[in-house]
Amino acid sequence: MILEIRYYGDPVLRKKALSVTEVDEAIRELGENLIETMRAENGIGLAAPQVGVSLRLIAVDAGPDRGKPLVLLNPEVADAEGTTVMEEGCLSFPEIFGKIERAGSITVTGRDLEGKPVRLRLESMEARVFQHELDHLDGVLFIDRMSPSHKIVISGKLKKLRKRTREKLSRS
Ligand code: ZN
């Protein structure tokens, strides 16, 4: 099932998400829906808060394994190395982009949809997408990591998006 994307201005994006304590049918279904929604939106990553669910669950489909999406529960960065700067976007911020500094390679731990422990060594694009999605679980958004000068450049677009989101939320 394709879920509705939550946009900037929706308070759920600023909440710290709760850990997944049990991998049950509802969690597996949410994982499948995250993948389906990410694909429908042509995204390379999606975090549960972006579909209005404040749980620590992310889907990633980037890097050399693109086409084989991964879902991770309670992901954590165990190790990070180097820094790179690249342009990023976010499904919750249509038409807004910016250069963001992140670690170049990371080791991520978590659980898969069967509840099995996972440990992944990731580089370049894949490492970047994971860090971006992990931030969502703590209510951190990519605009928080943009340079102040770039935030000024996009401030008009941000204000419009926030206004549109708030108006939509007040109607529903
Ligand atoms: Zn995002």
Side-chain angles (χ1 to χ4, degrees), residues 11-74:
V12 73
L13 294 178
R14 285 299 190 189
K15 274 172 77 178
K16 193 171 158 67
L18 295 173
S19 295
V20 176
T21 49
E22 201 187 332
V23 187
D24 55 15
E25 196 46 50
I27 289 294
R28 274 191 291 271
E29 200 178 311
L30 176 61
E32 298 299 330
N33 290 341
L34 269 186
I35 290 175
E36 212 175 312
T37 306
M38 175 174 66
R39 281 197 166 139
E41 300 281 341
N42 281 318
I44 52 178
L46 189 63
Q50 290 182 278
V51 294
V53 181
S54 198
L55 283 175
R56 305 187 81 81
L57 203 136
I58 62 170
V60 173
D61 189 12
D65 281 339
R66 181 127 165 88
K68 275 191 260 169
L70 255 169
V71 172
L72 263 193
L73 316 179
N74 305 332

Side-chain angles (χ1 to χ4, degrees), residues 66-138:
R66 181 127 165 88
K68 275 191 260 169
L70 255 169
V71 172
L72 263 193
L73 316 179
N74 305 332
E76 271 179 62
V77 174
D79 183 45
E81 260 178 73
T83 53
T84 63
V85 177
M86 265 171 88
E87 184 152 277
E88 284 184 20
C90 177
L91 290 179
S92 297
F93 291 79
E95 286 158 51
I96 292 172
F97 301 91
K99 284 186 178 148
I100 313 283
E101 185 181 296
R102 299 206 186 262
S105 58
I106 55 168
T107 302
V108 184
T109 60
R111 286 182 186 274
D112 65 15
L113 279 182
E114 269 128 49
K116 287 191 204 127
V118 175
R119 191 181 176 89
L120 299 164
R121 182 78 189 154
L122 303 169
E123 283 178 10
S124 62
M125 197 58 182
E126 225 172 350
R128 173 164 297 269
V129 177
F130 263 91
Q131 290 171 82
H132 177 116
E133 302 313 328
L134 279 163
D135 270 353
H136 274 299
L137 305 183
D138 291 322

